[in-house]
Amino acid sequence: MAKRALSMTLNGQAVGPFTVDDDLMMIDFLHEHLNLTGSRLGCGQGVCHACVAILDKPDGTSEEIRTCITGAHFFDGKKVRTIEGHAQRNDKGEVSELNPIQQKFVDHFAFQCSYCTPGYVNAATVLVEKLQRQPVKRSELEGEIENALGKHICRCTGYVRYYKAARDVVEGLGLVREG
């Protein structure tokens, strides 16, 4: 198996170079090389979206990338965020404060088994960042939430709480405009 060097900015920190197999999937790189197990391997086929990480593009936008079907080398030289990068941490690396999206998910108890929660938090993060650039009309809010979260699958059927938490975050941050 051919191997290549892999480096990236992950959760704001430079990582690498690691020498990894050409066919290594990103989910396996996160789990096996970095011990970041928050992104979950659900279906392994890119359908459930439990595995998504956030790719930060040079133009300031971001998008979800399914790490179970995307090779680790796709991320070489890029900026990536995982669920582990959202909360504030103290000097010891312990979580000291959740970000607003995570906190709203907790407030709404928007999880049951929590297997899919990292994917939903990342999807809501991408949505919030999009709406920070261009707020949405109130009449279009439900459609935006559906577009952001609708591809994610929850085995426990916790959809209502995920959607409520996302709506509460968007509204609480003032990202909805009238008219």
Side-chain angles (χ1 to χ4, degrees):
M1 178 66 52
K3 296 180 180 266
R4 287 187 283 151
L6 173 64
S7 299
M8 66 187 72
T9 300
L10 185 65
N11 298 326
Q13 302 293 318
V15 297
F18 291 89
T19 302
V20 299
D21 291 340
D22 279 344
D23 66 347
L24 184 70
M25 291 296 115
M26 182 62 161
I27 190 87
D28 296 322
F29 176 72
L30 293 171
H31 289 194
E32 296 170 15
H33 292 269
L34 300 174
N35 199 31
L36 296 176
T37 58
S39 297
R40 306 295 172 80
L41 179 61
C43 67
Q45 299 175 352
V47 175
C48 74
H49 292 244
C51 68
V52 298
I54 300 172
L55 175 65
D56 291 317
K57 298 179 184 180
D59 68 0
T61 63
S62 57
E63 70 175 302
E64 296 174 68
I65 301 288
R66 294 168 289 171
T67 63
C68 73
I69 61 169
T70 306
H73 286 286
F74 170 82
F75 296 94
D76 188 45
K78 296 180 180 171
K79 293 181 180 178
V80 181
R81 285 180 281 159
T82 64
I83 191 67
E84 291 89 352
H86 294 300
Q88 296 293 323
R89 296 184 181 272
N90 63 22
D91 297 353
K92 298 175 187 173
E94 301 163 335
V95 172
S96 58
E97 183 180 351
L98 298 177
N99 78 4
I101 296 165
Q102 291 171 308
Q103 188 60 57
K104 288 298 179 188
F105 275 57
V106 170
D107 293 348
H108 283 275
F109 199 71
F111 48 85
Q112 288 180 40
C113 80
S114 79
Y115 203 83
C116 62
T117 304
Y120 275 101
V121 169
N122 284 338
T125 299
V126 170
L127 172 64
V128 165
E129 291 170 353
K130 174 186 172 187
L131 297 180
Q132 285 173 329
R133 289 186 302 277
Q134 183 170 353
V136 66
K137 293 180 187 175
R138 181 159 306 282
S139 62
E140 297 171 357
L141 178 58
E142 294 306 315
E144 288 290 330
I145 293 171
E146 176 62 32
N147 286 338
L149 305 183
K151 293 178 182 147
H152 290 256
I153 296 174
C154 173
R155 302 186 292 191
C156 302
T157 68
Y159 299 105
V160 171
R161 290 180 178 166
Y162 284 123
Y163 283 57
K164 283 183 180 179
R167 185 180 315 106
D168 199 16
V169 169
V170 169
E171 289 175 341
L173 293 174
L175 304 177
V176 179
R177 58 185 165 86
E178 302 303 325

